[in-house]
Amino acid sequence: MVRRTDSPVLVIGLGRFGSALARELTDLGQEIMALEKDRSIVQHFADAFTSIVQADSTDLAALEQVGADQFDTAVVGIGTSIENSVLTVANLVDLGVKNIWAKAITRSHGEILERIGANHVIYPEQEAGERTAHLLSGTMRNFTELSPDYALAIITVPAVLANRSVSELRLKERYGVTLVAYEADAEFLNISTDTKLPKGTNMLVAGPTDRVDEFAKRL
């Protein structure tokens, strides 16, 4: 994810991904400049962002004119044209932008972006699909991958685990996952070895992604 920085962030492309990102960064207090080629989209978001410009990011001179070379971090959210996405990233590299995040439509698109200089490649559609698959595959209420190999999941406590102490359940030994917390009165509470989980409440577990998946499927 794009973290809040002390310096402004350049967000290029205000489609669904780019506009959502720009709004979230703004809500977090991050200063941004939004850049979009389509005049109607710029007009639509004119009141949403304090700094928004209309420019063609595939045109190096246009990027220089709006001061893109003054940014340390840029996010390329262009998703309708692989060619425009690649040209934009190449231009940012030429301008010396140090930290470039770019949305990719396909794996091959992402590989090209990485080769020409994107520091971080994002696959929002694929990641959303994978997350949904995890949620559909078992008793998960929520699922977050902290890295490709490690995940957190909120799972509803089934009858087979209910009203038994954490020490008795031995989840780490039996399933390879760690019970981090459980939900009570709309908030998550710390776990002790004597904690007993009521049926139907939510528990937060962590572990290798494949172990978390397998644990949820067994319940």
Side-chain angles (χ1 to χ4, degrees), residues 99-116:
N99 192 20
I100 302 172
W101 296 68
K103 171 187 174 180
I105 302 172
T106 64
R107 283 291 171 186
S108 57
H109 178 202
E111 289 172 1
I112 293 171
L113 293 174
E114 289 177 341
R115 288 178 183 177
I116 63 175

Side-chain angles (χ1 to χ4, degrees), residues 139-142 152-158 161 169 171 177-183 188 191 197-198 200-206 215-216 219:
T139 56
M140 293 188 199
R141 298 289 302 278
N142 205 335
L152 286 172
I154 296 176
I155 300 175
T156 302
V157 177
L161 300 182
L169 292 175
L171 298 185
V177 300
T178 300
L179 183 57
V180 179
Y182 74 103
E183 189 175 23
F188 278 94
I191 292 290
L197 306 175
T201 58
N202 293 322
M203 56 182 173
L204 178 64
V205 300
F215 175 61
L219 301 181

